[in-house]
Amino acid sequence: MQKRPPKCCYPDCFNCPYVDCRNDQLEAEDFSESNTRDYEHYEAWNDEKLHRNAGKDYHIGRQTAAKRGVRPYVDRHEYNQSYYKRRREEILDKIKVNYDTNKNTKRCRKYVTTHYKQTKQYQSDYYRRNAEKKREYARLRYLQRKAEKKVENGV
């Protein structure tokens, strides 16, 4: 964007020393004026309002409101909620019956044995990265406890 030329007296262009205007940039007021004019033209041509600054949240809110107004969606949602409330214990019992503890234990052990080296490597890297922070934290705790003991002993 160009800077305003020296001796430019925009918006008072009648008293400008230049023969032809050299200020070809728009100011904030010009933008807002042209935007309002565009909105007015849009409304005049289409007979509908254009929502200014309608972001993603606005559109999502409108969609959910429209969904709630659609009767089949509302009925299905209410039915699902009431079904779960009525048969909650049944559903949980089925999940517990299908859950095999031995199978899960075997799966976990298999994962631990296959990923043993990776986890050890991660732990050693983590310790190396944070060793200085841990030492600093321990030193601060030591100094705080030492100060608390001094206050308790009245020294």
Side-chain angles (χ1 to χ4, degrees):
M1 215 174 190
Q2 280 184 327
K3 290 186 176 179
R4 186 181 286 180
K7 299 182 184 175
C8 180
C9 47
Y10 178 85
D12 185 24
C13 292
F14 292 111
N15 297 323
C16 188
Y18 300 111
V19 176
D20 192 20
C21 186
R22 294 185 184 178
N23 184 20
D24 61 348
Q25 61 189 13
L26 291 172
E27 300 290 324
E29 300 88 33
D30 299 330
F31 280 116
S32 64
E33 181 184 329
S34 66
N35 283 345
T36 53
R37 198 173 330 112
D38 291 343
Y39 289 127
E40 290 168 1
H41 286 302
Y42 181 86
E43 290 172 7
W45 278 92
N46 296 325
D47 292 332
E48 60 184 39
K49 270 198 175 278
L50 177 68
H51 295 283
R52 298 181 190 185
N53 303 327
K56 188 177 181 181
D57 297 334
Y58 172 80
H59 291 295
I60 289 171
R62 296 232 349 159
Q63 286 174 348
T64 53
K67 269 187 180 176
R68 287 188 182 130
V70 176
R71 204 61 227 164
Y73 171 80
V74 173
D75 293 341
R76 190 177 339 113
H77 182 69
E78 289 172 356
Y79 173 76
N80 289 344
Q81 282 185 336
S82 64
Y83 181 87
Y84 185 77
K85 282 180 185 174
R86 281 183 280 139
R87 295 188 171 84
R88 184 173 187 276
E89 296 301 323
E90 254 180 75
I91 294 169
L92 292 176
D93 289 340
K94 282 183 183 178
I95 291 171
K96 286 178 186 175
V97 167
N98 293 336
Y99 182 79
D100 185 13
T101 309
N102 293 330
K103 186 178 177 182
N104 189 37
T105 305
K106 288 177 186 175
R107 200 179 311 143
C108 289
R109 283 185 184 155
K110 183 180 177 184
Y111 180 84
V112 168
T113 54
T114 55
H115 293 84
Y116 181 76
K117 289 181 181 177
Q118 291 174 349
T119 53
K120 274 297 189 188
Q121 183 65 38
Y122 175 79
Q123 289 171 353
S124 63
D125 291 345
Y126 182 84
Y127 180 78
R128 226 178 290 119
R129 278 193 312 249
N130 296 315
E132 187 62 35
K133 290 179 187 176
K134 286 176 78 174
R135 278 192 222 108
E136 181 65 24
Y137 179 70
R139 189 178 71 76
L140 288 172
R141 278 186 44 214
Y142 169 75
L143 293 174
Q144 285 177 347
R145 288 184 178 171
K146 188 176 178 182
E148 288 173 2
K149 284 185 180 181
K150 281 184 180 180
V151 171
E152 288 176 7
N153 294 337
V155 175

